[in-house]
Amino acid sequence: MDIPQKYKRYTKKKITFGIILFIVLFLSSIYALCVGDYKLTVNQVVNALMGYENSSIDLVVWNIRLPRIFAAIIAGMSLAVAGAVMQCILRNPLASPFTMGISHGAMFGASLSIILFGLGGAESSGRIFINNPYMITVFAFLGALIGVVVILFLAKLRGLTPEAIILAGVAMSSLFTAGTMLIQYFADDLQLAAMVYWTFGDLGRPLWEEIYIMAGIMIPSLLYFIYKRWDYNALEAGEETAKSLGVDTEKTRLIGMLIASLLTAVDVAFLGIIGFVGLICPHIVRICIGGDYRFLIPISALFGAVLLLIADTFARTIIAPIVLPVGILTSFLGAPMFLYLLLKMYKK
């Protein structure tokens, strides 16, 4: 078999896997629109989307379920792509926004903005609200940025091994968790309710305004990562190889980590902490299609969207009418995967 035919087979498998994931995402979205306390048929959902149904069905589809589905898709894409890029930049299979302390840093920043400026809280009815989503996102990003800068500084200054980088991430997570607990101690009842609820990670909070902000940051970030796909492939081959191919490794690492931190910060600011999505998805995709970042980045994004949407649909229906926060479910899925990767890394 000549090289062009081998290359066609190589790419066909990956493209086929991506198409399958897209179909699964579409079907999962339709199913998620139909199930819940207020069950709907596919015809009712289609009519509501076209504007032909009555007001109650329109309300359920457009104001409750569609924002939740879009939040799952956008957050799943953001976290999965951020995890894939961080694993390449830090050359560490355990790297992800959650394990590196970035999510906890963003949580600390969001909590700080709530208590300092009263940007969020809880109503007497129990509804959690955000007064200024832009300011909370800025504070969450600054909190995430602190963790990134410290880890990158230590890695450069002391030449940390991949294992030591993860330990530094765990240390930063502990520090940010302690800071968040201190803030919670001095918060009033309504502020405390908002902060604690944010730590769970729930997709039912964002309205259309927040969805637009999340999408407005996720789409250009994803396009940037896809644009830099060849640089990430070069980094996978090693520092010296990447430099010999003309890649500015320091700049690529710094910008990549900043954008991954921004994606994480936006998700934490609006949804709370959703753990391990950035760890699970890139590894499963690597097992299925390999580590070529031309395909790994977009397909990890699709897989992250599918995983988080299915997990949230399961969380909504497993003990209905009670809705579990999806962050609890992803942590149950991610913890065994983390231990498996840790054992595998030390076995090598």
Side-chain angles (χ1 to χ4, degrees), residues 7-334:
Y7 183 74
K8 283 180 181 178
R9 276 186 59 188
Y10 173 80
T11 56
K12 185 178 178 181
K13 177 186 175 183
K14 294 166 174 52
I15 293 169
T16 302
F17 186 68
I19 291 170
I20 290 170
L21 281 177
F22 185 81
I23 294 169
V24 171
L25 180 61
F26 176 76
L27 295 176
S28 301
S29 301
I30 297 296
Y31 181 73
L33 282 169
C34 293
V35 299
D37 289 343
Y38 194 88
K39 294 188 183 299
L40 301 172
T41 64
V42 175
N43 284 337
Q44 285 176 319
V45 167
V46 172
N47 287 336
L49 292 174
M50 299 292 289
Y52 299 145
E53 276 294 343
N54 61 51
S55 57
S56 61
I57 295 177
D58 274 349
L59 180 69
V60 170
V61 171
W62 283 99
N63 291 5
I64 299 175
R65 292 185 185 166
L66 264 184
R68 194 179 189 105
I69 289 167
F70 276 108
I73 291 171
I74 295 167
M77 285 184 165
S78 300
L79 294 172
V81 169
V85 170
M86 288 176 67
Q87 287 160 18
C88 172
I89 289 172
L90 299 174
R91 297 184 59 77
N92 193 318
L94 297 177
S96 74
F98 187 76
T99 56
M100 297 302 297
I102 296 175
S103 295
H104 296 88
M107 183 66 220
F108 171 75
S111 298
L112 192 64
S113 70
I114 290 170
I115 195 169
L116 287 180
F117 304 107
L119 299 179
E123 295 176 348
S124 57
S125 62
R127 189 181 78 86
I128 306 298
F129 65 89
I130 298 174
N131 289 334
N132 191 332
Y134 303 100
M135 188 62 72
I136 287 187
T137 301
V138 169
F139 270 80
F141 176 61
L142 292 175
L145 194 61
I146 293 170
V148 169
V149 169
V150 170
I151 291 169
L152 288 179
F153 178 74
L154 289 173
K156 185 174 178 61
L157 186 68
R158 296 294 181 184
L160 297 182
T161 62
E163 293 88 348
I165 289 174
I166 286 296
L167 292 176
V170 171
M172 293 305 298
S173 295
S174 300
L175 183 64
F176 284 129
T177 301
T180 303
M181 291 172 67
L182 183 65
I183 291 170
Q184 290 174 353
Y185 183 78
F186 290 104
D188 61 37
D189 292 345
L190 297 181
Q191 291 172 334
L192 180 62
M195 292 180 202
V196 171
Y197 192 53
W198 250 301
T199 60
F200 288 131
D202 182 52
L203 298 174
R205 291 177 218 146
L207 302 175
W208 284 112
E209 182 183 354
E210 286 84 28
I211 297 295
Y212 295 146
I213 297 171
M214 291 169 64
I217 292 172
M218 184 274 291
I219 293 170
S221 300
L222 179 59
L223 292 175
Y224 171 81
F225 287 139
I226 292 173
Y227 172 71
K228 301 291 283 186
R229 62 196 182 278
W230 287 108
D231 290 355
Y232 297 133
N233 275 340
L235 281 173
E236 283 284 291
E239 185 87 10
E240 296 303 320
T241 303
K243 285 182 177 178
S244 69
L245 291 170
V247 178
D248 187 342
T249 55
E250 296 296 328
K251 184 179 177 182
T252 300
R253 282 199 169 95
L254 180 61
I255 295 175
M257 286 297 289
L258 288 176
I259 294 176
S261 302
L262 178 61
L263 286 172
T264 305
V266 172
D267 291 338
V268 171
F270 296 140
L271 307 174
I273 295 178
I274 299 175
F276 293 109
V277 174
L279 180 70
I280 299 170
C281 298
H283 282 291
I284 294 177
V285 172
R286 278 192 189 93
I287 291 168
C288 295
I289 66 164
D292 187 342
Y293 272 79
R294 293 177 300 159
F295 302 99
L296 183 67
I297 290 173
I299 293 177
S300 290
L302 280 173
F303 193 86
V306 169
L307 176 71
L308 197 55
L309 180 58
I310 291 175
D312 182 60
T313 305
F314 187 67
R316 285 196 295 121
T317 55
I318 184 173
I319 52 172
I322 298 171
V323 179
L324 287 175
V326 72
I328 296 173
L329 211 60
T330 58
S331 294
F332 272 121
L333 290 171

